[in-house]
């Protein structure tokens, strides 16, 4: 049973009637429904939002989470640094992370990338075509190439991210812009998938193919390691390869 | 004229007589001499240390720096977060960065990598062989494969870094351990080279080939862009590709 | 049910008594047994060798093969170019391929890599340590890091392969050499895993961990696409993204 | 002095009046002029074509060539396998190679890639925008992002190439398609740059920015190694790292 936590910022939905109408269960609700639609009984989904205590991301919740999905936009700055540090640690320890759309500028994504994660954008009803670049990858299975999104916000290059470990999708927009729209990254023992389609002003999270890709990403990001643990700095004696000693400070001899 | 700033922690040299004897001009002095030895009149070198005001890394100094080299070990925690943020911003804007040996655990390197940058280690006089993995790369020119270092601290995998953009060197130790010892990474408009050989307890920075590699790294990391600038998040009208507007907040329409 | 074909050169086993004693069922037999030991009833294994008609690799056999493993050494030149072309086509169409040890210099591997695939070597009973470089990867699950092989042939860098898509393992030898010993590559719709441990003069294919890695590689290399098909060159009308027309020659207008 | 050989197929120019009018000196002539325009006295250019003896690519010519550029389309099959093998060997030995546009389906490119190099296409006057993906790379210097090509043939994904070592440019077309239009690959000691803009039916090789990119590619692809040599398979004694012995067959002990 894959334990998924869907994190939603839940601000646009509360403040803008058109967003609330488009996403009556919140964007987090639509994202969760799309994962459930594809993974069914293999997945146990919990939804939490910015407004919950600790934004819903307590140590207990994260420990119980195999894969976390992240959608945020207008309130990135309201996310507590302590929570970000906690999520960061869990990713390095092996929790999967799916970062969606405007989550590109979230504290957690920029912290994991080590770059500004800036890009070019325009919300003018561009058509987005999502082209498969790696047809062998688990994340691209079961969707056409291209995925056609009739109306979407444009996100374009230069997208300031590290060169991804795997380039999965590239999107082209009717205005002519392009973006690396599906990218994977490993950090520590954790796997990260960034997927750019999705916006509060367009019904993208109701799109069957987009939902499939997100579900594929969730399945892929789940760690294969038997236990969650932290990468470590240990000293090993000569000919001991398996029993390192804890670090006791940089000046030890 | 390439403007290089060599940053030294300068603590071991002050506290441990054997290190002071091994590196009478400080490790920073040996690193600077190695760069000068190879790049000669093409380079203008400034040396600064942890003990200088702002650790010697003021806005003015960084603006005047094409490439910064970083050696730290026992005092990573004493480096001010403000200075780290300043260096980080300059790297994303195009300043080159060479991170040496124990700098793997520095605040600036872990911030740019987004990982723990932990590894396994042992200071027991291992022989290190530095093997060239990319013989076409500018950084590997002019040195034998392997570079033989008679005595060195062992650094071994698992080294918790993102998969490097380019894997330049792999080292093997007499104890049997291996490490990705030469790696490049792009972050924003900046180029980063991590090179693991070098330690306060061994005369590695007097080694002719190691000095050549560091100098090669400095030449390579220098930005090719005409001006330093920041990656940006801008809005572009349809059919305007060159004159983006500043971002005015996530809720703008 | 995963259909695996184990291809063996089967020459050393016939000509050298010590090899026949070490591998009484042939090296192909040991390789097949190791896959069966780990994948059990999930796998259906067929063994074929160089001496079979068409080397056992007819169109029918390849069509029925999800993943092919390849061990060859002394008789690379005896493998027919027609068979190599056939295997190549099936890999591009989605058949998985596991290339083992001295298979690095096989016709099929060099054809898929586009390089010489040369390396340095020595058969002098080195100890090989196989270090995990990507602990998140399915191929590295269930084995220690390092895997300890008490005696092995040394294979060392510079190994003339393209930079792998994923660097999974690096080996270090008691003599000090290192090699990228576990590497993945995508070609067309096919997935390829090269794994260097294994030799006719050492009992490496009886090693529990090595067998697990090979079995992991077999599972990973199996295509996820529903049908085997060829990458194509097609012409698409404007606004038609899904119904390309066959190519009719470079001079068509 | 960089010695460049520009190879032209020179068939469209001979057979189609509109191509001859568009490219009165041949496409090879325009490509050579663009390199000269940017590199000036630093470069010595030789032009050869398919119709020359040995297609102009004798052992002598290739030995004297630092970087070879390749444009072919309608006559890929007329290129002799012997010449392709010769070029291939020189690339592995360190000769740079720039493959342009329809050269994606040439014998030399598919041999170096190990894939089909197929893609989707349409010659219907699409506008192509060439977006910089790696702003730190020497090949992207001195051109705007995007480069605007008013009319071009469309080349789109899925482009069946190995994941490039560096993804330099992505193009978007007015029809919505995208392609990885600028890619680098290392093979042996050689550096390869594929750049997709350019077609016989459009004046792309007269475009100032396209000419700059090609010239940048030529500069980048020039080997840095002091002499051309082949990757080798050699045996090394224990503790000898520099004096390998020639290979004498797979059965030697």
């Amino acid at each position: 049973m894959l334990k998924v936590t869907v994190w939603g910022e839940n601000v646009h939905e509360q403040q803008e009637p058109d967003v609330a109408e488009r996403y009556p269960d919140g964007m987090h609700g639509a994202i969760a429904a799309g994962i459930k639609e594809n993974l069914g009984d293999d997945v146990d989904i919990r939804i939490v939002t910015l407004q919950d205590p600790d934004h819903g991301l307590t140590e207990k919740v994260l420990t119980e989470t195999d894969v976390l999905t992240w959608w945020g936009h207008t309130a990135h700055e309201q996310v507590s640094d302590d929570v970000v540090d906690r999520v960061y640690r869990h990713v390095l320890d092996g929790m999967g992370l799916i970062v969606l759309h405007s989550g590109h500028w979230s504290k957690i994504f920029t912290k994991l990338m080590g770059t500004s994660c800036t890009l070019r954008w325009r919300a003018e009803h561009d058509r987005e075509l999502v082209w498969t670049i790696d047809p062998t990858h688990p994340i691209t299975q079961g969707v056409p190439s291209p995925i056609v999104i009739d109306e979407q916000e444009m996100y374009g290059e230069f997208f300031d991210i590290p060169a991804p470990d795997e380039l999965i999708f590239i999107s082209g927009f009717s205005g002519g812009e392009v973006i690396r729209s599906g990218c994977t990254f490993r950090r520590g023992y954790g796997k990260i998938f960034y997927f750019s389609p999705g916006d509060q002003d367009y019904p993208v999270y109701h799109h069957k193919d987009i939902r499939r890709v997100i579900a594929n990403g969730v399945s892929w990001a789940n760690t294969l390691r038997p236990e969650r643990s932290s990468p470590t700095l240990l000293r090993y004696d000569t000919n001991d390869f398996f029993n390192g000693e804890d670090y006791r400070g940089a000046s030890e001899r």
Side-chain angles (χ1 to χ4, degrees), chain A residues 1-224:
Chain A
M1 176 66 72
L2 184 62
K3 288 167 289 178
V4 176
T5 298
V6 171
W7 189 85
E9 181 185 88
N10 194 27
V11 171
H12 290 289
E13 298 93 324
Q14 304 304 320
Q15 297 183 346
E16 302 170 33
D18 63 316
V19 178
E21 187 173 350
R22 191 172 298 112
Y23 291 109
D25 300 318
M27 305 184 72
H28 38 279
I31 292 165
I35 297 170
K36 192 74 189 171
E37 175 179 294
N38 283 282
L39 301 184
D41 291 343
D42 296 336
V43 72
D44 181 20
I45 303 180
R46 180 198 313 245
I47 297 177
V48 295
T49 69
L50 176 69
Q51 296 76 25
D52 292 326
D54 271 308
H55 314 321
L57 299 172
T58 60
E59 185 66 30
K60 179 170 184 300
V61 166
L62 292 175
T63 300
E64 294 170 359
T65 299
D66 293 318
V67 180
L68 174 68
T69 75
W70 194 278
W71 196 98
H73 179 227
T74 198
H76 289 323
E77 283 308 309
Q78 296 175 36
V79 178
S80 127
D81 287 342
D82 285 350
V83 169
V84 172
D85 289 348
R86 195 183 298 149
V87 172
Y88 177 81
R89 179 166 43 79
H90 276 273
V91 171
L92 296 199
D93 289 3
M95 183 180 72
L97 180 68
I98 312 298
V99 176
L100 296 169
H101 191 59
S102 44
H104 75 89
W105 224 17
S106 62
K107 288 182 180 180
I108 183 62
F109 191 59
T110 55
K111 184 177 176 76
L112 285 159
M113 294 297 104
T115 60
S116 73
C117 300
T118 50
L119 43 68
R120 67 173 66 203
W121 67 280
R122 172 180 62 243
E124 295 291 348
H125 306 270
D126 275 71
R127 180 190 63 192
E128 176 173 357
L129 301 176
V130 186
W131 298 91
T132 291
I133 303 303
D134 184 352
T136 73
H137 203 279
I139 293 180
T140 62
Q141 304 311 305
V143 294
S145 179
I147 299 170
V148 179
I149 306 174
D150 292 331
E151 294 194 319
Q152 236 293 57
E153 187 177 16
M154 180 280 286
Y155 271 13
E157 299 279 349
F158 175 62
F159 182 19
D160 176 24
I161 49 172
D165 293 347
E166 296 165 310
L167 181 57
I168 305 284
F169 296 111
I170 296 175
S171 289
F173 293 85
S174 39
E177 291 88 355
V178 302
I179 192 166
R180 291 166 291 176
S181 52
C183 301
T184 71
F185 306 90
R186 274 82 172 172
R187 292 291 182 272
Y189 297 140
K191 295 158 80 178
I192 302 166
F193 175 51
Y194 175 76
F195 189 50
S196 72
D199 190 75
Q200 73 276 6
D201 290 339
Y202 304 93
V204 179
Y205 292 122
H206 298 307
H207 191 300
K208 177 173 171 292
D209 299 328
I210 298 302
R211 287 160 84 118
R212 174 68 187 264
V213 169
I214 295 171
N216 286 347
V218 164
S219 295
W220 170 85
N222 185 27
T223 186
L224 301 168

Side-chain angles (χ1 to χ4, degrees), chain A residues 224-241:
Chain A
L224 301 168
R225 305 179 77 237
E227 292 178 26
R228 193 166 295 175
S229 64
S230 299
T232 51
L233 193 145
L234 295 175
R235 185 191 174 283
Y236 288 80
D237 277 329
T238 304
N239 288 322
D240 166 33
F241 304 120

